[in-house]
């Protein structure tokens, strides 16, 4: 690979991009999400890129599917119906593991969501790299309280080097139906009622400003839009409705996967890049861990090493990103994210996820690394 001197990155410009988007309240599948999508598309067009904003259908939340299916499990416990509990469990797994999502697609209302796609690089190249961020913002909620996690990490720092994954919170929302199906009706009903309460709390919580999650990654795309790459086509994608469990990316895949051969297409999902420490996730998943593609992870790590950009390896994501959609569809995929010193995304779904709390040096390193990754991919055999 031929190393190219990295172009200078203006951190004030990064901050300005995040600032301007952050003032828009952007819950999934909302008018604010549409406004953000149009703003991003205009910035891509300013950079001279062929850009499209595509309207899709999404439910726009995950609390209703999870809450209603757990409520069904409570009914199953009261009626002593194991079959009903099994049905709720199967539909929950289908929804949470980013599969067909039969329950929300067939029974829940839909709204419009907006994805932005810009094309740069060599538009005629057979080889394609797709970089994916998202512009919608998450709701908060008690389930995202990391006080206990930070206390544990600070009280027992010797545990951190052994930590590969924080406990998966979503196991808790399938526990109730599982227990009812197994005949533990009272305990199962109690667990499902607790899941309903947590989901209701999320539904009532305010929308986070989302500066780190995920406007830092959107800003990285906007800076990459100004760079020119040869011998590889690059798609810069900002999705809506990621915070409703990647509904926007699923819709993007239904529209674009048929024209993108897995043999010549590579995906890199970008998340919380302003957290302080760039991290290449080994695996991710709410319920089951899905391993990202080794070759793509290694190439990202090598790009960082050649630039002197520190990148962590060895950790798995207990949540799920837009990267899981192409991964499950058979594409070589990796997740480049940012984590703080305690292996957590900074200010995750918090009201204080504001532009002044973003680590812009970390975002700058991500831009340099991705630029190098694209150039290396173009030169590889």
């Amino acid at each position: 690979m031929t190393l190219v001197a990295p172009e200078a990155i203006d951190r004030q410009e990064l901050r300005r991009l995040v600032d301007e988007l952050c003032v828009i309240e952007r819950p999934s599948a909302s008018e604010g999400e549409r406004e953000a999508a149009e703003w991003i598309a205009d910035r891509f067009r300013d950079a001279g890129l062929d850009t499209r904003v595509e309207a899709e259908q999404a439910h726009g939340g995950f609390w209703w599917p999870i809450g209603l299916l757990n409520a069904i499990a409570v009914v199953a416990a009261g009626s002593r119906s194991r079959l009903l509990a099994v049905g709720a469990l199967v539909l929950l797994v289908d929804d949470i593991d980013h599969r067909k999502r039969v329950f929300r697609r067939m029974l829940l209302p839909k709204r419009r969501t907006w994805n932005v796609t810009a094309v740069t690089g060599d538009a005629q190249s057979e080889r394609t790299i797709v970089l994916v961020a998202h512009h919608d913002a998450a709701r908060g909620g008690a389930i995202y309280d990391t006080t206990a996690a930070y206390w544990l990490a600070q009280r027992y720092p010797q545990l951190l080097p052994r930590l590969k994954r924080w406990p998966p919170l979503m196991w808790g929302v399938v526990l109730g139906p599982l227990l009812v199906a197994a005949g533990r009706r009272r305990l199962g009903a109690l667990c499902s009622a607790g899941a309903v309460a947590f989901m209701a709390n999320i539904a009532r919580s305010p929308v986070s400003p989302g500066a780190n999650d995920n406007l830092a990654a959107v800003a990285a795309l906007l800076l990459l839009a100004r760079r020119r790459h040869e011998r590889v086509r690059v798609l810069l994608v900002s999705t809506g409705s990621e915070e409703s469990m990647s509904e926007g990316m699923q819709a993007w895949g239904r529209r674009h996967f048929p024209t993108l051969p897995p043999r010549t297409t590579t995906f890199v999902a970008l998340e919380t890049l302003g957290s302080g420490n760039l991290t290449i996730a080994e695996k991710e998943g709410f319920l089951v861990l899905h391993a990202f593609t080794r070759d793509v992870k290694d190439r990202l790590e090598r790009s960082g090493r050649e630039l002197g950009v520190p990148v962590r390896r060895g950790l798995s994501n207990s949540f799920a990103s837009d990267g899981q959609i192409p991964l499950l569809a058979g594409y070589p995929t990796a997740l480049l994210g940012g984590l703080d010193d305690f292996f957590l995304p900074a200010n995750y779904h918090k009201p204080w996820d504001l532009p002044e709390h973003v680590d812009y040096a970390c975002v700058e390193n991500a831009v340099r690394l991705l630029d190098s990754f694209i150039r290396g991919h173009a030169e590889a055999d």
Side-chain angles (χ1 to χ4, degrees), residues 201-223:
N201 175 255
I202 292 172
R204 294 193 303 266
S205 296
V207 178
S208 166
N212 184 40
D213 181 19
N214 196 25
L215 296 184
V218 172
L221 292 185
L222 293 173
L223 262 63

Side-chain angles (χ1 to χ4, degrees), residues 58-76:
H59 171 61
F62 61 87
W63 41 90
W64 276 110
I66 292 175
L68 288 172
L69 288 169
N70 270 277
I72 290 172
V74 174
V75 172

Side-chain angles (χ1 to χ4, degrees), residues 54 116-120 122-132 232-237 239 249-268 322 325-333 377:
E54 295 162 335
V116 184
T117 303
V119 183
T120 184
D122 182 356
Q124 304 305 315
S125 175
E126 292 184 353
R127 308 176 72 178
T128 303
I129 294 176
V130 187
L131 302 181
V132 185
V232 63
R233 181 173 64 150
V234 182
L235 303 185
L236 303 175
V237 179
T239 63
M249 188 62 198
Q250 280 190 314
W252 193 93
R254 288 192 294 270
R255 184 185 290 266
H256 292 278
F257 285 171
T259 63
L260 294 171
R263 183 179 60 84
T264 57
T265 306
T266 299
F267 282 80
V268 180
D322 277 344
I325 306 303
L327 181 67
L328 293 177
Y331 289 91
T333 305
H377 196 88

Side-chain angles (χ1 to χ4, degrees), residues 9-283:
I9 296 173
D10 186 345
R11 293 186 191 175
Q12 289 187 339
E13 173 70 356
L14 277 172
R15 171 67 186 267
R16 185 187 67 80
L17 293 170
V18 174
D19 272 335
E20 290 194 25
L21 271 173
C22 211
V23 298
I24 306 171
E25 186 173 81
R26 314 174 312 283
S28 301
S30 68
E31 181 61 21
E33 186 202 90
R34 182 204 62 76
E35 183 182 347
E38 295 287 358
W39 188 94
I40 293 164
D42 286 344
R43 302 292 84 71
F44 281 145
R45 293 180 185 120
D46 290 345
L49 304 189
D50 179 20
T51 303
R52 292 184 179 182
V53 178
E54 295 162 335
E56 307 287 0
Q57 293 292 309
H59 171 61
F62 61 87
W63 41 90
W64 276 110
I66 292 175
L68 288 172
L69 288 169
N70 270 277
I72 290 172
V74 174
V75 172
S79 62
R80 299 174 179 265
S81 174
R82 290 191 179 184
L83 183 59
L84 188 59
V86 169
L89 178 62
V90 169
L91 290 172
L92 269 171
V93 172
D94 172 61
D95 197 272
I96 295 170
D97 201 41
H98 288 57
R99 300 295 178 167
K100 299 295 184 182
R101 296 196 159 134
V102 173
F103 182 74
R104 73 166 74 186
R105 285 194 300 107
M106 294 184 66
L107 298 178
L108 297 183
K110 309 293 189 302
R111 302 195 298 270
R112 298 180 84 187
T113 192
W114 289 267
N115 295 328
V116 184
T117 303
V119 183
T120 184
D122 182 356
Q124 304 305 315
S125 175
E126 292 184 353
R127 308 176 72 178
T128 303
I129 294 176
V130 187
L131 302 181
V132 185
H134 69 86
H135 50 268
D136 64 319
R139 293 186 180 276
I143 197 171
Y144 302 115
D145 187 349
T146 52
T147 303
Y150 282 116
W151 178 88
L152 184 67
Q154 291 168 346
R155 179 68 178 81
Y156 302 101
Q158 67 273 18
L159 296 178
L160 281 176
R162 305 177 188 176
L163 187 66
K164 302 300 180 185
R165 180 193 190 195
W166 282 100
L169 295 177
M170 285 299 179
W171 284 7
V173 303
V174 300
L175 182 59
L178 180 63
L179 288 170
V180 175
R184 302 292 299 277
R185 294 190 303 276
R186 290 184 179 179
L187 182 57
L190 181 63
C191 290
S192 282
V196 171
F198 274 113
M199 294 303 110
N201 175 255
I202 292 172
R204 294 193 303 266
S205 296
V207 178
S208 166
N212 184 40
D213 181 19
N214 196 25
L215 296 184
V218 172
L221 292 185
L222 293 173
L223 262 63
L224 287 166
R226 303 173 188 176
R227 302 190 174 205
R228 296 296 174 254
H229 301 99
E230 299 177 351
R231 297 196 300 277
V232 63
R233 181 173 64 150
V234 182
L235 303 185
L236 303 175
V237 179
S238 185
T239 63
S241 293
E242 191 275 347
E243 298 293 356
S244 62
M245 293 190 176
S246 296
E247 286 184 295
M249 188 62 198
Q250 280 190 314
W252 193 93
R254 288 192 294 270
R255 184 185 290 266
H256 292 278
F257 285 171
T259 63
L260 294 171
R263 183 179 60 84
T264 57
T265 306
T266 299
F267 282 80
V268 180
L270 309 175
E271 280 284 353
T272 64
L273 294 179
S275 294
N277 302 284
L278 291 180
T279 304
I280 300 167
E282 302 298 335
K283 308 173 184 178

